[in-house]
Amino acid sequence: MGSCRQFLNPLGRLARLVTDSRIVIEFVPNFEGLGWDLPEGCGDSAVSPNLLYIQEAQLGLQVAVGDAPSKPKAEDIRKVWRRREDGKGFPLMLVVRYPKAGVTTCAVCGPTGEQPKLDFDLDPQAVAQVCNIALKRPNRASALSFLATAEVEEQSGLPGLRNVGLFATHELANGVPARGDWSDACTDGRPVLGTSGRELVTALGFKVADRGLDASVLVAADEDQAVAVFLEETEAFNQPAGRFVGVSPVAHALAAADREGLAWVMMVRGSTVRLY
């Protein structure tokens, strides 16, 4: 149990990052915001265009951000989405911010489909982080794949964190933020936002020791804690890859963990981290 705690202490900073709704960030940092206009026929909409962000890829994802003086009607949002997308082939996320009970919340429509998904009363900061990651993906398909996963994450009540049978979700959502060190941990974790790959892992408190064969060992408290595999943005976690001799990166990492006698595996692709 001691070794498990030593490993989870740095990892806990990651959970605190994605569940702290007080973090204030620019909506889509590191991307140039362009102007956009309401499509023809949407002049009666309550939505006021703000900025537009475009993924650097063929028919790349577009994130159109707008504002409304109050909660907009679903039909208004869908109308703006359809008129702007209009069969042009690019995925579109329409984000409309509006006030509710004295705080800013938002609705999100998209990114694809004849009846695009529409959600209201979302945390703008959580939505911003999801959009930021999707826009950084190397191609359209990768962005859509990430957004499909993000929908599952939203259902967990922990935006940015997908928990599948590893920890108690109720404890992550309610018990961890009640800890006495939560506020200080959130402050310490904020500089980690925006990091990725090896930089992200070292910022979480691990030392990375390369062991060859496309696998590394994470060290904390002067002990080997886990095997880590760092993926390229174009590589999938569970699909065979050439540099892993025809097996999936996850299978490769689990085999390396068996050889090293370690119980944990961390898969890292950009700013996405998977723990096994």
Side-chain angles (χ1 to χ4, degrees):
M1 179 61 73
S3 177
C4 176
R5 285 175 178 165
Q6 289 169 357
F7 174 63
L8 291 180
N9 282 339
L11 186 71
R13 301 178 195 173
L14 179 63
R16 288 189 284 269
L17 280 175
V18 297
T19 57
D20 182 10
S21 62
R22 294 169 295 176
I23 297 173
V24 179
I25 60 174
E26 181 184 349
F27 191 80
V28 183
N30 304 318
F31 277 86
E32 180 184 2
L34 308 173
W36 67 284
D37 298 317
L38 284 176
E40 184 177 352
C42 295
D44 58 346
S45 170
V47 177
S48 299
N50 193 293
L51 291 176
L52 173 69
Y53 302 90
I54 302 177
Q55 181 189 15
E56 295 181 4
Q58 184 176 12
L59 292 176
L61 171 71
Q62 295 192 12
V63 177
V65 183
D67 298 284
S70 59
K71 185 174 182 177
K73 297 179 180 178
E75 54 265 34
D76 283 352
I77 294 178
R78 291 191 185 278
K79 182 179 180 181
V80 173
W81 188 93
R82 289 195 186 95
R83 294 289 178 91
R84 176 160 184 85
E85 193 276 336
D86 195 25
K88 296 181 179 68
F90 57 78
L92 173 64
M93 295 283 284
L94 176 60
V95 181
V96 182
R97 299 173 295 195
Y98 57 91
K100 180 180 179 180
V103 299
T104 299
T105 185
C106 70
V108 178
C109 184
T112 60
E114 294 184 2
Q115 290 293 326
K117 188 173 185 289
L118 174 59
D119 290 309
F120 286 94
D121 302 338
L122 301 179
D123 180 356
Q125 295 161 4
V127 172
Q129 288 180 306
V130 169
C131 290
N132 187 37
I133 294 171
L135 286 166
K136 289 180 179 178
R137 294 298 188 189
N139 53 54
R140 176 182 185 275
S142 179
L144 288 175
S145 176
F146 170 76
L147 290 172
T149 302
E151 289 185 5
V152 178
E153 293 165 354
E154 290 173 5
Q155 295 171 11
S156 74
L158 295 170
L161 180 63
R162 182 183 181 189
N163 180 45
V164 183
L166 189 57
F167 304 110
T169 299
H170 176 79
E171 179 64 19
L172 291 177
N174 300 284
V176 174
R179 290 170 55 102
D181 59 354
W182 173 256
S183 180
D184 290 341
C186 289
T187 299
D188 293 341
R190 284 175 185 145
V192 182
L193 281 172
T195 60
S196 61
R198 289 174 179 262
E199 182 185 2
L200 168 60
V201 172
T202 55
L204 290 172
F206 295 105
K207 295 180 181 179
V208 181
D210 292 325
R211 297 290 172 89
L213 298 177
D214 294 304
S216 304
V217 169
L218 302 184
V219 181
D222 296 322
E223 292 186 11
D224 293 349
Q225 304 292 342
V227 163
V229 170
F230 298 90
L231 302 183
E232 302 294 332
E233 287 286 2
T234 55
E235 292 178 321
F237 291 102
N238 297 310
Q239 296 179 6
R243 70 184 176 107
F244 300 112
V245 198
V247 301
S248 72
V250 171
H252 174 84
L254 291 172
D258 284 341
R259 292 193 301 271
E260 296 286 345
L262 297 173
W264 298 92
V265 161
M266 182 183 288
M267 309 294 298
V268 184
R269 185 181 64 195
S271 58
T272 299
V273 176
R274 285 193 179 188
L275 177 66
Y276 295 82

